[in-house]
Every structure is written in C-alpha cells, then in structure tokens.
Amino acid sequence: MKNRRNQAPPDTTDSWLSTGQLKTYRRGQRIIEAGSPQGDWVAISRGAAYLVSQVAPGTRVAVAALWLGDVIGGESPLGKLAARYDVTALVDVTTINIPLEQIQGDGTPPRAAETGELYNATASRLHGQISMRLAGNGLQRLVSVMATLATALAPDQRARHADRLALPISQACIGQLSGLSRRQTWIYLGQLGRHGWIVTSRSKVTLEGLSAWLALMGEVDAAGIECIATLQRCDATLLRLSARALGQP
C-alpha cells in the first residue's frame, strides 16, 4: 500500500491550474455527494478527506482517505461522470476546481501528462487502501489506516517536533476505515495503547512516536505486510523506525 508522500501537490502557479477556482470546506463538510454529476475536475490542494460508500440500503461505511494532490472530481478514480463515493473533509480542505470540458478540450502536454500522473497517484492510493481492507488481518488494517491518516494530515514542524498527532476522527470512523467492528477497534486500540503507541479518549485517538508512524507504510512496502501482522511484530517495527528517526543503531 503506497502512500506516495512525495507526490507533488497541484501548483496554482502552473498556467492551466491557475485558471481553476479555489473552494474551501470546513472539517466535516461534504465536498462531493455520491451519485451527483461530475461537472468539474477537482483536486485537493490542502487538507485531507475520506470516502464513504453505501454498501447496502441504510448502511454507509468509510473506505479510504485521500489528500494533497489527489483528484476527486470528474475523470477521476472516484467516477468518470458520476461520483461513486461521498467525499467529506477530515480537516479544513481546499480544492482546485476546473470545468471538465476545459480539461478535456486540451489533451496536449503538459496538461495530459500532469493530469494523468495525478490520476494514477490517486488510483494507487485508493487501490492500496481498499486492498488492505480485503487482504490484511484486523490489526494490519487498523495500523495501516492510522499510519495513512498520519501521512494524509501532513503535520507541521511543530507537530513533528512534539512527535505526536491527535487524529481528527472518532474511534468509530477509524474502525469503519479499517473494516472492523467497534469492539474489535476498541480491543486493538487498547493493545496499542498499552505498548505506548497511542493514547485514546472518548472523542479522539492520539498517535505517539509520530516519526515512526509516518515511516510505517514505507516499511510495509519494503518489508512486507507481515511486519505488522501481530502486536509483537508491529511494536518491534515501530520501535525500529523510531530508533532510526533518532539516529540510533
């Protein structure tokens, strides 16, 4: 599951992106509604959002998180002409919106190449998170979701110095993103808390040892999903990454 933290965000100084309209959304505000027509090409230029899918009548679940540089409007992995997911702001979000006909009307480089790169990066993030929901065990799914959220929220230097991050999302939503029941989520969070990697309260989950969480999915890509298959392996992997961040052998 590749987080692609080095994917460049849309740069509004680029000639074609500078024609877009900037829109802002507050935390918890819906950006795109499932089933709605996709009239605009939309990319996230600041913040992070999560996707919600209706899996059965009256049953909706969070399935993935997307962030800086991801394409969420028309001609995106979220739907060509109609949205397949609700997209809701995890934190305050800014998007760049360009009429779809304007994007489609000029297929010459660099526009085609740049939009294609953003599309592919978004598809990779979405596919990686959904694949983890299908292939990983409960702990692997939960740990990968929290590491992904740490990456998505791109903490500032002050947060990095503090080496902790309060996730702006409830335990229930973390469980949904992980494909877990509330009880399973509570059990796994408790186990991670006893090892000192998180602190929980009724309304939030705080990641401790943030530098290790930020490096975790890169380690999973390199070493394989088995490095977080059990609580003991997950703890050892996070300890190793924390030591590496501190420059310890």
Side-chain angles (χ1 to χ4, degrees):
M1 174 179 171
K2 296 187 182 300
N3 282 302
R4 296 179 180 268
R5 296 187 70 242
N6 58 349
Q7 174 64 35
D11 183 353
T12 53
T13 61
D14 290 347
S15 58
W16 69 276
L17 284 172
S18 64
T19 64
Q21 178 185 7
L22 294 180
K23 293 187 177 182
T24 58
Y25 301 87
R26 303 292 292 177
R27 173 183 171 184
Q29 187 174 356
R30 185 178 297 176
I31 301 171
I32 293 174
E33 182 177 359
S36 63
Q38 299 275 49
D40 285 347
W41 182 92
V42 183
I44 299 174
S45 65
R46 183 176 67 86
Y50 66 97
L51 314 185
V52 175
S53 176
Q54 180 168 317
V55 297
T59 303
R60 294 156 52 81
V61 297
V63 296
L66 295 175
W67 59 95
L68 202 63
D70 282 321
V71 182
I72 58 176
E75 294 296 314
S76 81
L78 278 65
K80 292 285 187 178
L81 300 177
R84 294 161 49 202
Y85 305 94
D86 282 342
V87 183
T88 302
L90 263 174
V91 290
D92 291 354
V93 169
T94 301
T95 64
I96 298 175
N97 296 51
I98 301 175
L100 200 53
E101 60 269 18
Q102 184 175 329
I103 294 290
Q104 296 170 331
D106 185 357
T108 59
R111 184 175 304 179
E114 291 172 349
T115 56
E117 289 175 2
L118 293 174
Y119 179 102
N120 291 336
T122 302
S124 177
R125 285 178 180 169
L126 185 59
H127 174 74
Q129 292 177 67
I130 292 176
S131 295
M132 179 66 81
R133 285 174 64 92
L134 297 174
N137 65 33
L139 179 64
Q140 288 168 327
R141 299 199 303 271
L142 182 77
V143 167
S144 70
V145 162
M146 292 194 294
T148 296
L149 289 172
T151 303
L153 296 170
D156 59 24
Q157 290 302 315
R158 182 171 57 182
R160 287 174 182 268
H161 180 71
D163 209 31
R164 67 200 316 257
L165 175 68
L167 299 177
I169 188 170
S170 68
Q171 293 185 35
C173 193
I174 290 174
Q176 282 189 12
L177 284 166
S178 310
L180 300 174
S181 69
R182 291 195 178 195
R183 176 171 173 76
Q184 288 173 311
T185 303
W186 178 78
I187 290 172
Y188 287 132
L189 289 176
Q191 291 173 338
L192 289 166
R194 286 191 289 275
H195 280 75
W197 294 112
I198 64 168
V199 175
T200 61
S201 67
R202 296 187 66 179
S203 60
K204 68 181 179 181
V205 174
T206 299
L207 302 181
E208 300 285 353
L210 180 58
S211 58
W213 285 104
L214 289 170
L216 183 59
M217 294 317 296
E219 184 72 7
V220 170
D221 288 338
I225 194 174
E226 289 303 309
C227 72
I228 56 171
T230 67
L231 184 64
Q232 291 72 26
R233 291 181 183 180
C234 183
D235 180 50
T237 299
L238 286 168
L239 283 172
R240 183 172 65 255
L241 294 173
S242 183
R244 184 186 302 170
L246 295 172
Q248 298 175 354

